[in-house]
Amino acid sequence: VGIGRDEIRQGSANAIQSEIDAGNFEGAAEKLAKRRDAYPDDFDTRLNLADVYYQLARESLDAKNQTAYVDYLAKAQAEVLEAVRIDPTSPRPHTWLGIITAYQGDLDSSETSFKNALRLNLAERMELRAGTYYSNIAHISVYQGKLGDARRYLDKGVKNGAPQDEIDRVVETRPVCCS
């Protein structure tokens, strides 16, 4: 009895998760890149690789390595754009684009991406509660200085079940907006 393709993929997924759990994002990125090359149209692999590249970007930022930070964000963005190509109706890659473009300093693109994620979520009824989508837009509105918008989106986030830690992060970003 041989090992089937699904079992190989599951074994690969377990090995990747072990790398992530151990904090070895480089190892996870290497394994995910191989998996991406074997399955180039695998939506989840693309998003998982984007997530790992994002984690590596954050580590690079903490280490004050600007070159690696920019490089990893660009790699994450490339994977997310491929995920959008694979499934343009999913809000998940649009949320990732919002996060990545915010870290790249492009707040207008970030706002657009988060609004696209919200729109797709509502259109597809992907999640019953859309609170986090609203709180993401509230975050960007604060950074843009649009405090009235931030307040409105934060209120919608609360009404739509945004987790308390998301609400707290918006309030902590700029307390004057949400008091």
Side-chain angles (χ1 to χ4, degrees):
V1 175
I3 297 175
R5 188 175 189 167
D6 288 340
E7 287 84 8
I8 291 170
R9 288 178 84 172
Q10 184 58 46
S12 173
N14 291 340
I16 293 164
Q17 190 60 52
S18 293
E19 296 283 4
I20 292 169
D21 291 345
N24 182 6
F25 296 113
E26 286 285 348
E30 184 179 313
K31 286 177 174 57
L32 279 164
K34 287 179 183 176
R35 187 171 176 167
R36 176 211 50 214
D37 293 344
Y39 308 101
D41 289 331
D42 185 320
F43 178 80
D44 289 323
T45 296
R46 293 288 185 162
L47 284 186
N48 290 334
L49 184 53
D51 184 7
V52 168
Y53 283 147
Y54 169 77
Q55 297 302 328
L56 287 165
R58 295 291 307 266
E59 285 182 351
S60 298
L61 182 63
D62 292 344
K64 300 187 183 339
N65 184 340
Q66 184 70 19
T67 301
Y69 171 70
V70 170
D71 183 51
Y72 282 124
L73 279 181
K75 287 180 177 184
Q77 187 172 30
E79 295 302 329
V80 169
L81 290 172
E82 280 300 304
V84 169
R85 180 191 61 77
I86 294 164
D87 184 359
T89 65
S90 174
R92 290 172 47 208
H94 294 278
T95 298
W96 271 111
L97 280 175
I99 293 166
I100 292 166
T101 54
Y103 273 90
Q104 291 172 328
D106 187 350
L107 298 180
D108 291 337
S109 291
S110 180
E111 178 184 26
T112 298
S113 295
F114 284 139
K115 286 181 176 179
N116 284 338
L118 172 64
R119 178 182 51 78
L120 289 167
N121 178 69
L122 295 175
E124 297 294 322
R125 299 193 191 282
M126 302 286 283
E127 297 175 31
L128 295 177
R129 308 295 275 176
T132 300
Y133 295 100
Y134 287 110
S135 68
N136 286 339
I137 300 168
H139 275 281
I140 295 305
S141 297
V142 169
Y143 295 133
Q144 292 173 316
K146 300 176 185 176
L147 303 184
D149 289 350
R151 183 65 180 154
R152 282 188 296 282
Y153 283 116
L154 186 61
D155 288 345
K156 287 181 179 181
V158 169
K159 289 177 187 171
N160 284 279
Q164 189 61 47
D165 65 323
E166 286 292 319
I167 301 302
D168 293 344
R169 283 187 333 139
V170 175
V171 173
E172 292 169 6
T173 302
R174 181 112 180 233
V176 71
C177 85
C178 307
S179 56

